[in-house]
Amino acid sequence: MDMCHTAGLISLEQALEKLFSQTQTITCSETIPLTDATQRITATDIISPINVPPFDNSAMDGYGLRFSEWDGKTPMPIAGKSFAGQPMQGELPQGSCVRIMTGAPIPHGVDTVIMQEEAEETAQGILFTGTVKKGSNIRRAGEDIAKGSSVIPAGTLLSTAQLPLIASLGVSTVNVYRRLKVAIFSTGDELQAVGLPLAEGQIYDTNRFTVRLMLEKLNCEIIDLGVIPDSPEKLKQTFIEADKQADLVISSGGVSVGEADYTKQILDELGQIGFWKLAIKPGKPFAFGKLSSAWFCGLPGNPVSAALTFYQLVQPLIARLAGHSQWKAPARFKVPVTTPLKKSPGRLDFQRGVLSVDNHGQLQVATTGHQGSHVFSSFSQANCFIVLERERGRVAAGETVDVEMFNYLLKSE
């Protein structure tokens, strides 16, 4: 396919720009216990109510003293001990030192801690043998986190990287955006739900199953409306019900040119929907717009096309609607390919690939084989996309290509 046959297609960047320019975060929020906040998105900044550490404490096991009283040659008697949870009471007496352990509060009067490896016990007291610098080995209150500072910004997805930090501040509840409500269904008389026997001419509805799995990983509230037969009345009623219940409606099938014209007619009646021809492969047909209340995305019918358009377009849209402002698309980097790749100019091509390390420790990538939009087994073998530029043609083994690693939506491990 040459460029003149794809002139009417819009690029992935243009499609994303259209999505983002028309949508905004659904701003409803709720306050929930920290223990229930995994995979939720912060609606406001999390502000620290305390200093971390909450008091000056020792960074080493050793001895605390007043720097002005150290002369480098006179042993200093031990006036007491300061352990974590058992601080020394009162002020350090003149001319003495205190035995102190890591994390213990710094007693009044102490301004320097010397590690025990640089101290020698004598009959007269502790002789410090190393070089002493004023203020050494003391962690100051608020050095890590200052009281009143923003610890986690709004729009952050909470996971095991953030939740223990919040817990360390003594914060027991967080304000988060409510979970996005997403209605899903597939269209087509030929589709059968997974788990039921196939009638003659039927295939399993893997698209809805795949979309549901990815929505679960995105922590959406899923409204599964099943398989809708090729009936204008039933399809229209399904759109109306989905629009009432959801923030976003996702269907698969019926968005290709010439397919089920009544689908486009119904969507035109219920809202403002654009049918796009995307300059990507797989996944040329895609629909996006607004029903009376909910946003709508129409995915292609082919399984790989549906998964790819969800991954590249719906995933960032959901991040936008759900308030996940910290979301970033997977990075791309250049790697030599070890296998030749078939490619015609005209569309940005996402081929499934396997990234590995060769015997010299260098990254390399290979195709998973046949790249047809119906060959979903390629996803189970792959760990990345090989991204080939729109104008690029065939690729020979040894050439450099862009690689985009799968994120957690598609990772098999």
Side-chain angles (χ1 to χ4, degrees):
M1 181 182 294
D2 58 38
M3 294 295 289
C4 67
H5 289 102
T6 59
L9 308 185
I10 66 172
S11 68
L12 178 62
E13 291 74 21
Q14 289 172 316
L16 288 169
E17 185 179 350
K18 287 174 179 284
L19 291 176
F20 293 150
S21 66
Q22 296 180 45
T23 58
Q24 56 282 321
T25 294
I26 295 169
T27 56
C28 299
S29 64
E30 58 185 345
T31 298
I32 62 173
L34 187 65
T35 50
D36 297 336
T38 302
Q39 295 300 108
R40 299 298 295 271
I41 299 166
T42 53
T44 55
D45 288 2
I46 293 178
I47 306 300
S48 178
I50 61 172
N51 285 320
V52 178
F55 47 80
D56 292 354
N57 68 88
S58 178
M60 295 283 180
D61 292 346
Y63 300 87
L65 50 77
R66 289 185 184 87
F67 179 77
S68 61
E69 295 176 351
W70 172 76
D71 62 11
K73 56 185 178 182
T74 304
M76 303 179 77
I78 299 175
K81 298 178 181 179
S82 186
F83 292 174
Q86 300 178 38
M88 174 182 171
Q89 302 300 317
E91 186 165 351
L92 180 69
Q94 294 286 328
S96 64
C97 65
V98 58
R99 179 70 168 128
I100 194 165
M101 306 303 286
T102 302
I106 300 296
H108 294 293
V110 171
D111 61 13
T112 302
V113 171
I114 301 173
M115 66 178 69
Q116 61 187 17
E117 290 81 1
E118 296 179 348
E120 180 182 322
E121 189 172 349
T122 70
Q124 292 76 36
I126 304 299
L127 178 65
F128 300 105
T129 57
T131 301
V132 178
K133 293 179 64 176
K134 184 177 182 180
S136 296
N137 302 316
I138 295 179
R139 303 171 180 146
R140 298 299 178 185
E143 183 178 293
D144 184 12
I145 300 172
K147 181 179 179 179
S149 64
S150 176
V151 179
I152 295 174
T156 299
L157 180 69
L158 297 176
S159 68
T160 50
Q162 297 82 24
L163 292 171
L165 171 60
I166 300 171
S168 74
L169 305 176
V171 174
S172 61
T173 61
V174 287
N175 186 238
V176 296
Y177 290 116
R178 69 164 174 79
R179 294 169 66 203
L180 200 68
K181 298 177 182 178
V182 184
I184 59 173
F185 61 90
S186 297
T187 62
D189 291 336
E190 77 282 8
L191 298 178
Q192 177 63 286
V194 175
L196 297 178
L198 292 175
E200 185 176 356
Q202 285 190 320
I203 59 173
Y204 283 118
D205 178 22
T206 55
N207 288 3
R208 182 168 54 92
F209 183 72
T210 302
V211 168
R212 184 185 182 99
L213 291 174
M214 291 195 284
L215 288 172
E216 287 174 352
K217 287 193 173 185
L218 292 169
N219 200 31
C220 295
E221 184 178 329
I222 303 167
I223 304 164
D224 192 339
L225 301 177
V227 177
I228 310 304
D230 289 327
S231 162
E233 295 77 18
K234 291 182 179 179
L235 185 59
K236 183 175 182 178
Q237 189 57 39
T238 301
F239 274 116
I240 291 172
E241 290 302 316
D243 186 39
K244 291 178 182 177
Q245 300 179 57
D247 304 305
L248 174 65
V249 178
I250 302 174
S251 71
S252 69
V255 296
S256 296
V257 176
E259 277 189 55
D261 290 338
Y262 54 80
T263 302
K264 183 178 188 303
Q265 181 181 339
I266 291 169
L267 289 170
D268 285 341
E269 291 175 13
L270 299 179
Q272 296 181 327
I273 309 296
F275 285 76
W276 301 345
K277 297 178 183 178
L278 302 175
I280 65 173
K281 182 181 181 182
K284 183 168 69 171
F286 186 81
F288 170 74
K290 189 80 181 290
L291 301 171
S292 60
S293 299
W295 295 100
F296 170 74
C297 289
L299 308 181
N302 282 320
V304 176
S305 300
L308 179 72
T309 51
F310 184 100
Y311 189 84
Q312 295 293 338
L313 290 163
V314 182
Q315 180 182 190
L317 172 64
I318 286 175
R320 168 84 161 186
L321 296 176
H324 188 187
S325 60
Q326 309 298 313
W327 184 88
K328 293 182 180 179
R332 295 178 188 172
F333 50 93
K334 295 188 179 298
V335 175
V337 64
T338 62
T339 51
L341 306 173
K342 293 181 179 180
K343 168 75 164 70
S344 297
R347 286 194 278 168
L348 181 68
D349 199 347
F350 290 88
Q351 301 198 13
R352 278 72 69 205
V354 179
L355 186 73
S356 61
V357 178
D358 65 18
N359 294 331
H360 303 288
Q362 301 300 310
L363 289 173
Q364 60 183 13
V365 69
T367 179
T368 57
H370 186 39
Q371 297 290 313
S373 58
H374 62 290
V375 184
F376 204 85
S377 60
S378 59
F379 272 119
S380 66
Q381 302 163 20
N383 59 13
C384 67
F385 288 118
I386 301 171
V387 186
L388 303 178
E389 303 89 325
R390 181 173 181 175
E391 66 280 2
R392 194 165 184 174
R394 287 177 175 267
V395 179
E399 290 188 37
T400 298
V401 295
D402 286 325
V403 166
E404 180 182 300
M405 294 298 296
F406 290 167
N407 70 8
Y408 64 99
L409 286 194
L410 292 177
K411 281 183 179 177
S412 57
E413 61 267 28

